[in-house]
Amino acid sequence: MTIEFRPQIKDLQAYKPGKPMENVKREYGLDRVIKLASNENPLGCSEKSKQAIQDALSHLNIYPDGNTTDLKETIAEKFNIKTTQILPSSGSDEMVDQISKTFIQEGDEVIMADITFPRYISTCKMMGGVPVVVPLKNHAYDLEGMKEKITDKTRLIWLCNPNNPTGTMFTKDVLDDFLQSVPQDIVVVYDEAYREYVTREDYPKNALEYLPKYPNLIIMRTFSKAYGLAALRVGYTLASEEIIDHINRIRGPFNVNTLAQVGAIAALKDDEFLQRSYDVNEEGKRYLYKIFQELNLEFAPSETNHIFVDVKKDAQEIFVELQKRGVIIRPIYGNFIRVSIGTMEENVTFVEKLREVL
Ligand SMILES: Cc1ncc(COP(=O)(O)O)c(C=O)c1O
């Protein structure tokens, strides 16, 4: 007798995380390794978050607040939205999963870009949905192309703005037009994981303003990037009360742990840290642009904390050679790598090693 697995899961691949920095150190006998592979905040996180976490350590025996009451209230106050329209999660990752479980049924079509955040496609397949993939144009979302793919079977559309891994964005005008033309029985999920890094004025800075007009819209945000709390696993989602109520029915009772809750609340109260993260990112971005231009390497203009670069050589090879020299980046495909913007010192080291391997 053999165990049966759901057929939808058979062809899925487990997420392959990069090697931990300690393993890379040991393997190549290095004293120091820098990781510019996962779009983390090189400054760490707010001191206020650290203090809040310290203070909460004496309550580890108590279950977290399953309603994330204080976190929701802090978000509600800061962004002027009702607590019933907010749902925190264990990172956006968990929310991608929960949204797919809430909406996608066998045979439903789900429109997404390629290349974009990979969890959109894997959770779609997991639910038996049919991914309808629209290639990027010039490394950016092709919303016109996505619109053309809408059929009677379309259930959900994933948008990532700015996009991971290309760092590119689409404008408020483009989003306005898109939301207007999508039938309102199709769910549009708008993932703005990198919103805090955007510099351009024509970016939809306040996506929340769309919620009253578009009851089919879901907005996802995370504390893993500009807030520097990736290890805690915490993000939040904003949508109509009806959508939030339904997602709430399928989530685990204590999905956001206590340290994540207090850390996130404190992070929301530290605008100075957020500003510094933005400034350091901008400085690093300008420096890396200059170097890539000098090296004649093409890159996509980034509105995030990472840059998508054509290194003109096999990305996998460049990744291995950089790793041997203590710098971890992410090979994407072909000759394209994604490098996260680090501290200035990390950026300089990356450039030194990149010059060497090129
Ligand atoms: C576009 C996008 N969405 C969601 C996530 C997941 O973030 P989290 O750490 O909140 O799960 C990431 C992480 O890299 C991302 O790039």
Side-chain angles (χ1 to χ4, degrees):
M1 277 200 284
T2 52
I3 295 173
E4 245 179 62
F5 294 95
R6 290 178 58 231
Q8 295 89 341
I9 291 169
K10 276 203 182 118
D11 295 331
L12 295 182
Q13 303 273 326
Y15 177 73
K16 284 199 194 81
K19 280 184 202 163
M21 293 203 282
E22 283 310 313
N23 294 26
V24 175
K25 267 190 205 167
R26 244 179 287 129
E27 188 171 334
Y28 298 108
L30 299 162
D31 295 333
R32 182 170 178 244
V33 166
I34 59 172
K35 182 166 170 251
L36 300 173
S38 302
N39 308 335
E40 291 144 338
N41 190 327
L43 301 181
C45 69
S46 162
E47 287 303 316
K48 290 182 180 167
S49 294
K50 287 187 198 165
Q51 187 58 53
I53 290 165
Q54 275 289 342
D55 296 345
L57 286 178
S58 50
H59 310 301
L60 292 184
N61 56 321
I62 307 294
Y63 279 102
D65 171 8
N67 277 321
T68 55
T69 316
D70 292 348
L71 176 54
K72 281 195 285 200
E73 276 171 10
T74 310
I75 294 166
E77 200 174 309
K78 189 168 173 95
F79 298 106
N80 194 22
I81 185 166
K82 290 197 279 189
T83 52
T84 43
Q85 290 191 267
I86 306 169
L87 192 58
S89 57
S90 180
S92 294
D93 267 345
E94 188 198 33
M95 186 50 74
V96 174
D97 213 73
Q98 289 179 354
I99 289 171
S100 294
K101 284 180 185 161
T102 303
F103 293 103
I104 302 172
Q105 301 195 62
E106 195 74 37
D108 283 346
E109 291 179 2
V110 178
I111 300 177
M112 62 193 75
D114 181 45
I115 186 169
T116 190
F117 189 55
R119 293 294 295 168
Y120 307 154
I121 194 164
S122 54
T123 58
C124 167
K125 289 181 180 168
M126 169 186 94
M127 296 310 298
V130 179
V132 177
V133 170
V134 180
L136 299 182
K137 262 192 183 163
N138 278 334
H139 309 308
Y141 262 61
D142 172 17
L143 292 190
E144 285 301 318
M146 293 178 102
K147 255 196 273 181
E148 285 165 16
K149 293 288 180 187
I150 293 175
T151 70
D152 289 349
K153 291 189 178 159
T154 307
R155 183 77 166 143
L156 192 141
I157 303 174
W158 289 104
L159 302 179
C160 184
N161 195 27
N163 188 36
N164 175 14
T166 55
T168 51
M169 61 153 258
F170 50 85
T171 65
K172 182 174 185 320
D173 287 350
V174 169
L175 181 61
D176 283 347
D177 174 71
F178 186 79
L179 290 173
Q180 260 173 41
S181 53
V182 174
Q184 294 211 347
D185 59 339
I186 298 174
V187 177
V188 177
V189 190
Y190 183 74
D191 181 349
E192 43 179 25
Y194 300 94
R195 66 187 286 274
E196 294 84 3
Y197 289 113
V198 174
T199 58
R200 271 173 56 175
E201 281 304 314
D202 51 359
Y203 178 73
K205 285 228 159 49
N206 181 20
L208 269 63
E209 71 188 13
Y210 293 105
L211 287 176
K213 194 165 169 199
Y214 299 106
N216 55 329
L217 178 66
I218 301 179
I219 298 168
M220 293 198 317
R221 294 178 176 174
T222 179
F223 289 94
S224 297
K225 308 298 173 186
Y227 291 102
L229 296 174
L232 292 184
R233 314 304 304 127
V234 55
Y236 62 97
T237 288
L238 308 155
S240 71
E241 289 183 332
E242 190 189 13
I243 289 181
I244 293 296
D245 172 46
H246 279 79
I247 303 177
N248 211 9
R249 296 177 195 189
I250 54 127
R251 78 173 169 88
F254 305 107
N255 59 327
V256 185
N257 73 72
T258 302
L259 305 184
Q261 293 188 37
V262 298
I265 291 169
L268 286 169
K269 294 177 179 165
D270 192 346
D271 288 337
E272 193 269 331
F273 177 79
L274 210 57
Q275 182 64 44
R276 201 150 47 83
S277 301
Y278 174 94
D279 292 342
V280 167
N281 192 64
E282 268 309 287
E283 192 193 1
K285 191 162 78 178
R286 278 195 297 271
Y287 166 73
L288 290 173
Y289 278 3
K290 189 168 81 54
I291 299 289
F292 294 145
Q293 278 156 353
E294 268 174 40
L295 292 172
N296 254 321
L297 301 180
E298 281 180 29
F299 55 90
S302 172
E303 292 298 320
T304 59
N305 63 346
H306 52 269
I307 309 179
F308 187 68
V309 197
D310 180 349
V311 285
K312 295 185 180 163
K313 288 192 175 170
D314 182 59
Q316 188 62 32
E317 219 172 281
I318 296 289
F319 159 72
V320 171
E321 289 304 316
L322 282 173
Q323 188 164 262
K324 281 185 197 164
R325 291 163 174 80
V327 177
I328 312 177
I329 53 92
R330 182 69 59 96
I332 303 293
Y333 64 82
N335 293 348
F336 287 98
I337 64 162
R338 185 192 70 191
V339 59
S340 305
I341 299 166
T343 59
M344 210 42 171
E345 198 219 345
E346 288 171 333
N347 297 330
V348 169
T349 307
F350 159 70
V351 166
E352 186 193 314
K353 305 298 175 192
L354 182 69
R355 283 187 198 277
E356 238 175 82
V357 304
L358 287 177

